[in-house]
Amino acid sequence: MPLEIIGWVAPRISSEVIDPSGPYFDLDVIKKTAQVHENGDFDRVLVGYFSDAPDGAMIVAHAASVTTKLKFLLAHRPGFVAPSLAARTFATLDQLSLGRLAVHIIAGGSDADQAKDGDYSTHSDRYLRCSEYIKLMRLTWTRKEPFDFEGQFYKTNGTQSHIPCFQRPHIPIYGGGGSDAAINSLAPYLDTFMLWGEPLKDTEHFMTRVRNKSKENKEVLKFSLSTRPILADTESKAWEKAHAIHKKIIELRRGIAAPKPSNVGSQRLLSAAAKSEIHDTCLWTKLAVATGARGNSTALVGTPDTVAKAMLEYYKIGATSLLIRGYDPLTDAEQYGKELIPKLRQLVKNYDKVHNASLKN
């Protein structure tokens, strides 16, 4: 199965160890970061959503204008824009980029962050709203004639879009979450379910739960898994680098206690960390603890060979999309493109050849 590798584009350079500097919206940073990922053989880049951030659709539009083949995954929170309007916006952006857009539906894991934009819905309601939102977007993309829609959260009459998606029948839809509410509400309606980097056994078990719920979906559900690779030319240097990153995070957060997350995905990462600092071959959980597991925060540490082999194991259990983001985002993306991605693609190619041959026999 084709492997998809996803990176990260933002309007300025920052991370857990790099304080933001410069303008909040830097066109040159967007251009350079997008082009580094395209030249590094990434398939797609995620443009995140934050309650205080520039509009992601505009970032995608600019990044698409300075690249030719790089695809985009635009994070979007339902609840602030009507789904029919969002559908037309995304379809327009898909046309503008000649079919390079996907959308990542996120319910929002923080009540406080949702409140910044005026949303006071409960966690479970946000996920129920997501499923309804996706249904209405898909109808807007695929129905040729005006239609009516009535659900728990949305009601429309005579809805129609004169702009279809460039991709048919519509752009791919990603989403995720660690709770039962996330699985129940999203799995039947997504093309790709996104996961954070947990131990292999935990990941495989979680995938089974999602697959069982996604059977309502006529399409085969795919999985994407996110980690933070930390690379060096020797194992010892890679671990020195990893511990230096941890030290820097602790220094920058001095006097600030790591937040206790309310979302189940973060709680799962911290639970894995409580069991062991290192899982499988090189999955390191200490950085998740240091940051309160806010998002993608478990690292794969080692040489490019070691990390590529660890990523292959996730591919073997069904994660055909792998999102990788560094703590020095631009420099690390360049390193991934030169040292990690070629090795990973070759490993996947070799595995698929042997696996497909065994299926034929």
Side-chain angles (χ1 to χ4, degrees):
M1 185 173 290
L3 170 68
E4 178 183 65
I5 299 177
I6 305 176
W8 174 275
V9 165
R12 62 177 174 175
I13 301 296
S14 65
S15 77
E16 295 89 338
V17 297
I18 300 176
D19 287 329
S21 62
Y24 206 97
F25 189 81
D26 191 322
L27 292 176
D28 289 336
V29 167
I30 296 170
K31 176 181 178 180
K32 185 175 182 179
T33 307
Q35 291 177 343
V36 162
H37 282 81
E38 182 165 72
N39 294 336
D41 199 27
F42 285 79
D43 297 289
R44 194 182 295 276
V45 288
L46 172 66
V47 176
Y49 182 104
F50 305 95
S51 60
D52 56 359
D55 183 75
M58 300 299 101
I59 295 172
V60 170
H62 179 58
S65 74
V66 296
T67 54
T68 58
K69 62 179 182 178
L70 185 68
K71 297 178 182 179
F72 304 93
L73 179 57
L74 175 61
H76 178 73
R77 285 185 191 172
F80 307 107
V81 177
S84 53
L85 172 56
R88 297 196 303 276
T89 299
F90 300 147
T92 304
L93 195 51
D94 195 43
Q95 291 283 353
L96 185 68
S97 64
L98 301 179
R100 290 189 279 155
L101 184 68
V103 62
H104 175 30
I105 298 296
I106 49 177
S110 165
D111 291 342
D113 203 48
Q114 293 293 117
K116 292 178 182 179
D117 281 330
D119 179 28
Y120 298 92
S121 302
T122 65
H123 174 269
S124 58
D125 277 353
R126 290 201 294 270
Y127 275 110
L128 289 172
R129 182 174 62 192
C130 280
S131 60
E132 197 169 293
Y133 201 91
I134 294 170
K135 290 178 187 177
L136 186 45
M137 281 203 307
R138 278 185 166 164
L139 287 171
T140 305
W141 286 330
T142 57
R143 287 285 183 91
K144 294 182 179 180
E145 301 298 327
F147 66 90
D148 298 339
F149 181 92
E150 184 169 0
Q152 179 180 348
F153 301 93
Y154 298 102
K155 179 180 179 180
T156 69
N157 295 104
T159 302
Q160 185 179 26
S161 174
H162 291 298
I163 181 161
C165 299
F166 187 93
Q167 301 168 83
R168 300 301 175 91
H170 55 73
I171 66 177
I173 303 173
Y174 293 57
S179 65
D180 289 339
I183 296 173
N184 294 337
S185 296
L186 293 180
Y189 306 107
L190 298 177
D191 298 300
T192 300
F193 199 101
M194 301 194 75
L195 314 169
W196 289 333
E198 297 183 48
L200 285 162
K201 286 185 179 180
D202 294 342
T203 301
E204 193 167 18
H205 179 261
F206 189 84
M207 285 178 169
T208 299
R209 290 174 57 201
V210 175
R211 285 192 185 100
N212 288 339
K213 188 60 184 178
S214 72
K215 289 178 181 177
E216 301 172 23
N217 192 343
K218 294 180 181 179
E219 303 297 328
V220 176
L221 182 68
K222 300 176 184 177
F223 289 95
S224 177
L225 185 127
S226 304
T227 57
R228 310 289 291 273
I230 299 173
L231 309 178
D233 56 5
T234 68
E235 299 293 337
S236 61
K237 288 181 181 178
W239 282 105
E240 287 175 8
K241 184 177 177 180
H243 287 294
I245 290 171
H246 180 262
K247 182 180 179 181
K248 183 68 172 178
I249 290 174
I250 297 301
E251 289 175 352
L252 291 176
R253 297 185 61 85
R254 184 163 291 146
I256 304 174
K260 293 183 179 180
S262 58
N263 69 84
V264 176
S266 295
Q267 292 170 5
R268 289 174 62 89
L269 295 185
L270 293 179
S271 176
K275 295 174 184 176
S276 179
E277 185 176 312
I278 300 174
H279 289 268
D280 305 318
T281 57
C282 63
L283 181 70
W284 195 42
T285 62
K286 199 169 183 178
L287 297 176
V289 176
T291 59
R294 296 179 64 187
N296 176 17
S297 53
T298 50
L300 293 171
V301 183
T303 65
D305 282 328
T306 296
V307 173
K309 289 175 183 176
M311 294 175 72
L312 176 66
E313 295 305 310
Y314 286 110
Y315 176 83
K316 287 180 180 179
I317 63 173
T320 56
S321 173
L322 298 168
L323 189 153
I324 50 178
R325 178 166 62 96
Y327 286 92
D328 188 349
L330 199 55
T331 300
D332 287 345
E334 290 177 331
Q335 184 183 28
Y336 298 160
K338 293 176 182 177
E339 302 176 16
L340 179 62
I341 291 175
K343 293 180 182 295
L344 177 59
R345 290 199 187 280
Q346 187 60 51
L347 287 174
V348 168
K349 182 179 179 181
N350 294 344
Y351 170 78
D352 282 348
K353 183 177 180 180
V354 173
H355 181 68
N356 293 336
S358 67
L359 292 177
K360 292 178 181 179
N361 294 332

